[in-house]
Amino acid sequence: MSLLVFFCGHAGTGKTTLAKNLLGPLMSASGTPFCLLDKDTLYGSYSAAAIAMLSGDPNDRDSPLFLQHLRDPEYRGLIDTARDNLELGVSTLVVGPLSREVRERRLFDHAWLGVAPEVTLRVVWVQTSEDVARQRIIARANPNDAYKLAHWDDYRRRRFEPSGASRAGLLIFDNTAPTSADHEALVARIVAR
């Protein structure tokens, strides 16, 4: 069974940490090798150089300029890399906000993703309260978050929270203070047939 698992959600929710913590348990539970593709790791340096050329600020990751010109190519490359791994028989964990793709239901669409119909798709929406997320963002002191923090009201207004039909099929995970039992339950839901 090949799995394509997305860990989505807003900054500061702990998507990457959660994905890293679950990588080993998912390999054990599914019996398949996995790779981890984190958007910031794959495209962070490249996007910093590109946005610096456009705006003069390599940490400009939330401005309208970045969102209009670099966001979508980053995500397309992330999904294309996941597809390459799946074609080699390697299940894949993909980490990135991907809120627009969740809202538009694209991460449940095998054709849009370009993956074989037999690939099992799982979308984990990682969440925590806005206050906790903001505290985590401040604590990690990543320069990429500077625009977000300086324009917090604008950022928080565009934060998408799944509700109604957009929640269908999502594995909602509260990452405020998860226990090992919470992790085990999520792994079971991801690998369930």
PDB file of all heavy atoms in Angstrom, residues 6 10 39 61 93 100 113 122 136 146 156 159 162 169 184 187:
ATOM      1  N   PHE A   6      -0.511  14.202   3.798  1.00  0.00           N
ATOM      2  CA  PHE A   6      -0.246  15.632   3.915  1.00  0.00           C
ATOM      3  C   PHE A   6      -0.434  16.071   5.355  1.00  0.00           C
ATOM      4  O   PHE A   6      -1.444  15.732   5.987  1.00  0.00           O
ATOM      5  CB  PHE A   6      -1.201  16.430   3.022  1.00  0.00           C
ATOM      6  CG  PHE A   6      -0.985  16.210   1.559  1.00  0.00           C
ATOM      7  CD1 PHE A   6      -1.747  15.280   0.864  1.00  0.00           C
ATOM      8  CD2 PHE A   6      -0.020  16.922   0.869  1.00  0.00           C
ATOM      9  CE1 PHE A   6      -1.552  15.064  -0.491  1.00  0.00           C
ATOM     10  CE2 PHE A   6       0.189  16.717  -0.490  1.00  0.00           C
ATOM     11  CZ  PHE A   6      -0.584  15.787  -1.169  1.00  0.00           C
ATOM     12  N   HIS A  10      -1.635  25.906   9.773  1.00  0.00           N
ATOM     13  CA  HIS A  10      -0.989  27.219   9.812  1.00  0.00           C
ATOM     14  C   HIS A  10       0.363  27.170  10.518  1.00  0.00           C
ATOM     15  O   HIS A  10       0.695  26.197  11.181  1.00  0.00           O
ATOM     16  CB  HIS A  10      -1.930  28.222  10.476  1.00  0.00           C
ATOM     17  CG  HIS A  10      -3.205  28.379   9.728  1.00  0.00           C
ATOM     18  ND1 HIS A  10      -3.261  28.897   8.458  1.00  0.00           N
ATOM     19  CD2 HIS A  10      -4.486  28.030  10.048  1.00  0.00           C
ATOM     20  CE1 HIS A  10      -4.513  28.886   8.033  1.00  0.00           C
ATOM     21  NE2 HIS A  10      -5.267  28.358   8.968  1.00  0.00           N
ATOM     22  N   LYS A  39       8.149  21.560   2.881  1.00  0.00           N
ATOM     23  CA  LYS A  39       8.229  22.668   1.934  1.00  0.00           C
ATOM     24  C   LYS A  39       9.370  23.622   2.264  1.00  0.00           C
ATOM     25  O   LYS A  39      10.130  24.028   1.378  1.00  0.00           O
ATOM     26  CB  LYS A  39       6.908  23.437   1.890  1.00  0.00           C
ATOM     27  CG  LYS A  39       6.923  24.590   0.897  1.00  0.00           C
ATOM     28  CD  LYS A  39       5.668  25.421   0.966  1.00  0.00           C
ATOM     29  CE  LYS A  39       5.656  26.384   2.095  1.00  0.00           C
ATOM     30  NZ  LYS A  39       6.560  27.536   1.931  1.00  0.00           N
ATOM     31  N   ARG A  61       7.963  36.025   3.190  1.00  0.00           N
ATOM     32  CA  ARG A  61       7.259  34.803   2.815  1.00  0.00           C
ATOM     33  C   ARG A  61       5.744  34.894   2.893  1.00  0.00           C
ATOM     34  O   ARG A  61       5.062  33.925   2.594  1.00  0.00           O
ATOM     35  CB  ARG A  61       7.692  33.642   3.707  1.00  0.00           C
ATOM     36  CG  ARG A  61       9.156  33.326   3.651  1.00  0.00           C
ATOM     37  CD  ARG A  61       9.547  32.831   2.252  1.00  0.00           C
ATOM     38  NE  ARG A  61      10.968  32.711   2.129  1.00  0.00           N
ATOM     39  CZ  ARG A  61      11.658  31.651   2.482  1.00  0.00           C
ATOM     40  NH1 ARG A  61      11.060  30.619   2.961  1.00  0.00           N
ATOM     41  NH2 ARG A  61      12.962  31.644   2.344  1.00  0.00           N
ATOM     42  N   LEU A  93       5.372  11.616   3.213  1.00  0.00           N
ATOM     43  CA  LEU A  93       4.761  12.604   4.100  1.00  0.00           C
ATOM     44  C   LEU A  93       5.118  13.972   3.538  1.00  0.00           C
ATOM     45  O   LEU A  93       6.298  14.270   3.337  1.00  0.00           O
ATOM     46  CB  LEU A  93       5.306  12.494   5.522  1.00  0.00           C
ATOM     47  CG  LEU A  93       5.200  11.165   6.248  1.00  0.00           C
ATOM     48  CD1 LEU A  93       5.742  11.287   7.670  1.00  0.00           C
ATOM     49  CD2 LEU A  93       3.772  10.673   6.276  1.00  0.00           C
ATOM     50  N   ARG A 100      -5.037  26.543   0.909  1.00  0.00           N
ATOM     51  CA  ARG A 100      -5.868  26.721  -0.289  1.00  0.00           C
ATOM     52  C   ARG A 100      -6.217  25.369  -0.916  1.00  0.00           C
ATOM     53  O   ARG A 100      -7.350  25.133  -1.330  1.00  0.00           O
ATOM     54  CB  ARG A 100      -5.143  27.591  -1.315  1.00  0.00           C
ATOM     55  CG  ARG A 100      -5.994  27.899  -2.542  1.00  0.00           C
ATOM     56  CD  ARG A 100      -5.229  28.658  -3.611  1.00  0.00           C
ATOM     57  NE  ARG A 100      -4.489  29.776  -3.069  1.00  0.00           N
ATOM     58  CZ  ARG A 100      -3.439  30.333  -3.673  1.00  0.00           C
ATOM     59  NH1 ARG A 100      -3.006  29.858  -4.819  1.00  0.00           N
ATOM     60  NH2 ARG A 100      -2.817  31.357  -3.133  1.00  0.00           N
ATOM     61  N   LEU A 113      -3.383  15.721  -8.265  1.00  0.00           N
ATOM     62  CA  LEU A 113      -2.079  15.414  -7.688  1.00  0.00           C
ATOM     63  C   LEU A 113      -1.168  14.686  -8.670  1.00  0.00           C
ATOM     64  O   LEU A 113       0.047  14.695  -8.522  1.00  0.00           O
ATOM     65  CB  LEU A 113      -2.251  14.554  -6.431  1.00  0.00           C
ATOM     66  CG  LEU A 113      -2.930  15.228  -5.238  1.00  0.00           C
ATOM     67  CD1 LEU A 113      -3.341  14.187  -4.207  1.00  0.00           C
ATOM     68  CD2 LEU A 113      -2.023  16.286  -4.633  1.00  0.00           C
ATOM     69  N   ARG A 122      -4.212  10.694   2.525  1.00  0.00           N
ATOM     70  CA  ARG A 122      -4.634  11.119   3.859  1.00  0.00           C
ATOM     71  C   ARG A 122      -4.216  12.580   4.024  1.00  0.00           C
ATOM     72  O   ARG A 122      -3.095  12.957   3.667  1.00  0.00           O
ATOM     73  CB  ARG A 122      -3.979  10.292   4.968  1.00  0.00           C
ATOM     74  CG  ARG A 122      -4.355   8.835   4.959  1.00  0.00           C
ATOM     75  CD  ARG A 122      -5.799   8.616   5.430  1.00  0.00           C
ATOM     76  NE  ARG A 122      -6.078   7.195   5.561  1.00  0.00           N
ATOM     77  CZ  ARG A 122      -6.757   6.489   4.678  1.00  0.00           C
ATOM     78  NH1 ARG A 122      -7.235   7.057   3.592  1.00  0.00           N
ATOM     79  NH2 ARG A 122      -6.970   5.197   4.876  1.00  0.00           N
ATOM     80  N   ARG A 136       4.482  30.069  19.705  1.00  0.00           N
ATOM     81  CA  ARG A 136       5.494  29.183  19.103  1.00  0.00           C
ATOM     82  C   ARG A 136       6.274  29.900  18.014  1.00  0.00           C
ATOM     83  O   ARG A 136       7.488  29.711  17.870  1.00  0.00           O
ATOM     84  CB  ARG A 136       4.825  27.938  18.531  1.00  0.00           C
ATOM     85  CG  ARG A 136       4.306  26.985  19.580  1.00  0.00           C
ATOM     86  CD  ARG A 136       3.600  25.821  18.934  1.00  0.00           C
ATOM     87  NE  ARG A 136       3.102  24.857  19.903  1.00  0.00           N
ATOM     88  CZ  ARG A 136       2.341  23.817  19.594  1.00  0.00           C
ATOM     89  NH1 ARG A 136       2.018  23.577  18.320  1.00  0.00           N
ATOM     90  NH2 ARG A 136       1.924  23.001  20.533  1.00  0.00           N
ATOM     91  N   ALA A 146       8.896  37.005  10.166  1.00  0.00           N
ATOM     92  CA  ALA A 146       8.879  38.437  10.486  1.00  0.00           C
ATOM     93  C   ALA A 146       7.685  39.146   9.854  1.00  0.00           C
ATOM     94  O   ALA A 146       6.996  39.928  10.524  1.00  0.00           O
ATOM     95  CB  ALA A 146      10.191  39.091  10.044  1.00  0.00           C
ATOM     96  N   ARG A 156      -3.880  36.769  10.340  1.00  0.00           N
ATOM     97  CA  ARG A 156      -4.924  36.000  11.026  1.00  0.00           C
ATOM     98  C   ARG A 156      -6.257  36.068  10.280  1.00  0.00           C
ATOM     99  O   ARG A 156      -7.036  35.130  10.322  1.00  0.00           O
ATOM    100  CB  ARG A 156      -5.068  36.426  12.485  1.00  0.00           C
ATOM    101  CG  ARG A 156      -5.570  37.825  12.696  1.00  0.00           C
ATOM    102  CD  ARG A 156      -5.548  38.240  14.166  1.00  0.00           C
ATOM    103  NE  ARG A 156      -6.381  37.424  15.005  1.00  0.00           N
ATOM    104  CZ  ARG A 156      -7.672  37.632  15.201  1.00  0.00           C
ATOM    105  NH1 ARG A 156      -8.283  38.638  14.607  1.00  0.00           N
ATOM    106  NH2 ARG A 156      -8.362  36.833  15.987  1.00  0.00           N
ATOM    107  N   ARG A 159      -6.272  33.393   7.608  1.00  0.00           N
ATOM    108  CA  ARG A 159      -6.143  31.999   8.063  1.00  0.00           C
ATOM    109  C   ARG A 159      -7.438  31.250   7.790  1.00  0.00           C
ATOM    110  O   ARG A 159      -8.511  31.660   8.201  1.00  0.00           O
ATOM    111  CB  ARG A 159      -5.852  31.950   9.569  1.00  0.00           C
ATOM    112  CG  ARG A 159      -4.438  32.269   9.928  1.00  0.00           C
ATOM    113  CD  ARG A 159      -4.250  32.395  11.427  1.00  0.00           C
ATOM    114  NE  ARG A 159      -4.870  31.348  12.205  1.00  0.00           N
ATOM    115  CZ  ARG A 159      -4.215  30.507  12.994  1.00  0.00           C
ATOM    116  NH1 ARG A 159      -2.922  30.598  13.105  1.00  0.00           N
ATOM    117  NH2 ARG A 159      -4.861  29.594  13.687  1.00  0.00           N
ATOM    118  N   PRO A 162     -10.867  24.878   8.410  1.00  0.00           N
ATOM    119  CA  PRO A 162     -11.841  23.987   7.770  1.00  0.00           C
ATOM    120  C   PRO A 162     -13.134  23.887   8.575  1.00  0.00           C
ATOM    121  O   PRO A 162     -13.109  23.743   9.794  1.00  0.00           O
ATOM    122  CB  PRO A 162     -11.116  22.630   7.754  1.00  0.00           C
ATOM    123  CG  PRO A 162      -9.680  22.948   7.939  1.00  0.00           C
ATOM    124  CD  PRO A 162      -9.620  24.197   8.739  1.00  0.00           C
ATOM    125  N   GLY A 169     -13.325  14.227   5.332  1.00  0.00           N
ATOM    126  CA  GLY A 169     -12.141  13.441   5.032  1.00  0.00           C
ATOM    127  C   GLY A 169     -10.876  13.891   5.724  1.00  0.00           C
ATOM    128  O   GLY A 169      -9.871  13.175   5.697  1.00  0.00           O
ATOM    129  N   GLU A 184      -0.450   7.601  18.565  1.00  0.00           N
ATOM    130  CA  GLU A 184      -0.799   6.240  18.155  1.00  0.00           C
ATOM    131  C   GLU A 184      -2.160   6.195  17.472  1.00  0.00           C
ATOM    132  O   GLU A 184      -2.335   5.498  16.465  1.00  0.00           O
ATOM    133  CB  GLU A 184      -0.789   5.308  19.377  1.00  0.00           C
ATOM    134  CG  GLU A 184       0.596   5.046  19.918  1.00  0.00           C
ATOM    135  CD  GLU A 184       0.578   4.378  21.286  1.00  0.00           C
ATOM    136  OE1 GLU A 184      -0.498   3.907  21.725  1.00  0.00           O
ATOM    137  OE2 GLU A 184       1.658   4.317  21.914  1.00  0.00           O
ATOM    138  N   VAL A 187      -1.779   7.608  13.941  1.00  0.00           N
ATOM    139  CA  VAL A 187      -1.127   6.628  13.059  1.00  0.00           C
ATOM    140  C   VAL A 187      -2.145   5.585  12.622  1.00  0.00           C
ATOM    141  O   VAL A 187      -2.230   5.228  11.431  1.00  0.00           O
ATOM    142  CB  VAL A 187       0.080   5.968  13.747  1.00  0.00           C
ATOM    143  CG1 VAL A 187       0.563   4.737  12.983  1.00  0.00           C
ATOM    144  CG2 VAL A 187       1.219   6.981  13.899  1.00  0.00           C
TER     145      VAL A 187
END
